[in-house]
Amino acid sequence: MLIKREKTLIKTPTRKPIMTNENNYQALSAALKNADSIGIFSHVSPDGDTIGSGLALYGALKALGKTVFIACADPIPQKLLFLPGAAAVTQNPPKAAKPLDLAIAVDTASYERLGVFGHDFSRAKNTAVIDHHKSNPRYGKINIVVECAATAEIIYRILKENALLSDDAAACLFAGIVTDSGCFAFSSVTPETHAIAAELMNGFKFDAENIIYNTYRAKSLQVFKLRNAVLSKCKFYNDGQIAVVSIFQSDLKDTGAGESDTEGIVTDGISIIGVEVAFSLTEMPNKQFKVSIRTKNYVDANDCAAAFGGGGHTRAAGCRLSGNYYDIVDKLLKVARDRL
Ligand code: 5GP
Ligand code: MN
């Protein structure tokens, strides 16, 4: 017999303010003060939040006279190269014989998302995790994990508290917030998000319109072609409640686009009226699929991703799956249907 289930609205949690007087912030301030060699690590497939947050912190620590680098396992996307200091982000950090005094992971939801730098991170004498993903398992010695729209919001509070903000840091943090909030559109945005953006715009000199254009609106011709190609083949299931966009290596080749150009395509799926769950699957060169999940009213995206060892937020999450494409789609559809 069919069991009829009432649909429950999944609300994004009401958020508590970012409290820099808590113990973990004090531990971080002390760790920053005591450390000389510091490594900042951004997550694989970097976006404007992990790079913007990392660069703001990097600039501040350099100004303090620290020996610091910012590393990312994947190359920084072309569209983020306009950020002040972007050239500093390296895939080849200095190989010191001694472990780092302090390693800081920014915006990195799990240890795995440090990619090849996981080892450098964990071998540091002290480790800190600064992140806004609710799925974060708190894999650092110091963990500052606050659910908010962007890690850049947390970095803002930390730098402000330590009087380390600058025009360049403000530009990077604003870029981080714009990126992860969908330009202030997502349900993760709170009055505090707007307040921080306003404080940045009031207190510092940077070109907000240009940052929004570069991080949110600008697309290369390749991206435009890629989107048109893959969105025209978008598939719908469950009476139009589920959308699946697939991006194969051949699509990237045909349009001249790269993996980082697939970011945000899933948003077009969830924008469609009636769609409650949108998936995008990107075929990676190693035959893995990078899956992005977006949800609207009734499904927790983080919960779907967690079924496959991934994670993220209530409305936006991701995971990686290996295997046959059709099997993967079936598994994703089952997870979505079970929750609709
Ligand atoms: P996106 O779909 O834009 O790549 O990611 C959406 C959100 O889910 C981001 O906040 C991202 O950090 C998180 N996310 C994406 N892929 C993974 C993954 O493989 N593992 C985990 N833990 N989180 C992910
Ligand atoms: Mn983020």
Side-chain angles (χ1 to χ4, degrees):
M1 195 183 83
L2 262 176
I3 299 167
K4 202 160 181 305
R5 211 161 34 103
E6 281 297 318
K7 277 189 187 179
T8 25
L9 265 174
I10 309 266
K11 283 273 187 206
T12 44
T14 40
R15 123 182 196 200
K16 55 173 206 159
I18 303 169
M19 303 291 284
T20 46
N21 58 351
E22 286 177 356
N23 289 345
N24 46 354
Y25 292 89
Q26 279 154 18
L28 178 75
S29 293
L32 290 174
K33 215 163 113 201
N34 295 331
D36 178 39
S37 61
I38 303 175
I40 299 168
F41 297 92
S42 288
H43 63 71
V44 293
S45 308
D47 59 22
D49 190 28
T50 196
I51 297 293
S53 296
L55 281 175
L57 190 57
Y58 171 79
L61 296 178
K62 243 177 107 87
L64 277 181
K66 304 289 182 185
T67 306
V68 58
F69 65 76
I70 169 165
C72 183
D74 291 327
I76 171 169
Q78 189 79 25
K79 67 179 223 175
L80 296 177
L81 288 176
F82 79 98
L83 287 172
V89 181
T90 177
Q91 287 180 277
N92 296 297
K95 279 265 164 274
K98 284 197 306 187
L100 292 162
D101 292 338
L102 175 64
I104 309 171
V106 281
D107 194 41
T108 305
S110 65
Y111 174 79
E112 290 70 37
R113 288 178 61 74
L114 291 167
V116 292
F117 294 126
H119 178 69
D120 297 77
F121 177 85
S122 47
R123 133 182 147 100
K125 288 184 214 153
N126 201 357
T127 57
V129 167
I130 307 175
D131 188 29
H132 68 129
H133 296 94
K134 72 170 172 182
S135 61
N136 193 305
R138 289 148 173 88
Y139 55 93
K141 287 181 185 151
I142 301 166
N143 297 286
I144 298 182
V145 180
V146 189
E147 267 195 80
C148 52
T151 297
E153 289 189 51
I154 312 168
I155 301 284
Y156 171 77
R157 289 280 181 236
I158 293 168
L159 295 188
K160 186 181 173 193
E161 188 72 18
N162 291 280
L164 287 171
L165 285 163
S166 63
D167 290 343
D168 283 354
C172 291
L173 294 173
F174 189 78
I177 293 171
V178 169
T179 302
D180 265 28
S181 69
C183 204
F184 305 95
F186 297 158
S187 62
S188 54
V189 171
T190 64
E192 189 175 8
T193 315
H194 285 286
I196 290 173
E199 284 178 38
L200 288 170
M201 288 177 79
N202 270 325
F204 301 93
K205 265 218 200 65
F206 60 89
D207 188 341
E209 185 193 1
N210 186 250
I211 291 173
I212 292 174
Y213 178 75
N214 279 313
T215 56
Y216 183 67
R217 300 178 61 196
K219 9 174 138 48
S220 64
L221 188 58
Q222 292 96 300
V223 169
F224 180 77
K225 286 181 179 168
L226 177 71
R227 286 188 178 226
N228 287 343
V230 299
L231 289 173
S232 67
K233 290 183 277 183
C234 180
K235 293 225 156 49
F236 298 93
Y237 304 87
N238 246 46
D239 292 329
Q241 285 187 301
I242 306 172
V244 178
V245 187
S246 303
I247 305 141
F248 296 101
Q249 285 288 318
S250 55
D251 293 309
L252 299 179
K253 214 169 130 222
D254 291 349
T255 57
E259 265 113 41
S260 67
D261 293 329
T262 63
E263 191 197 319
I265 292 183
V266 68
T267 312
D268 287 303
I270 201 65
S271 299
I272 300 164
I273 296 169
V275 171
E276 286 291 337
V277 183
F279 295 109
S280 76
L281 286 79
T282 304
E283 183 188 19
M284 305 300 278
N286 59 3
K287 280 282 158 207
Q288 251 192 358
F289 283 86
K290 178 184 178 299
V291 178
S292 287
I293 308 169
R294 298 293 183 271
T295 60
K296 213 174 265 164
N297 296 305
Y298 305 109
V299 179
D300 184 333
N302 179 55
D303 179 46
C304 293
F308 306 106
H313 313 279
T314 310
R315 296 278 180 259
C319 57
R320 291 184 185 234
L321 284 168
S322 303
N324 175 279
Y325 164 76
Y326 296 99
D327 294 342
I328 292 174
V329 172
D330 280 348
K331 282 183 195 162
L332 293 171
L333 289 176
K334 180 166 179 357
V335 156
R337 285 181 175 130
D338 284 352
R339 286 160 179 78
L340 273 167

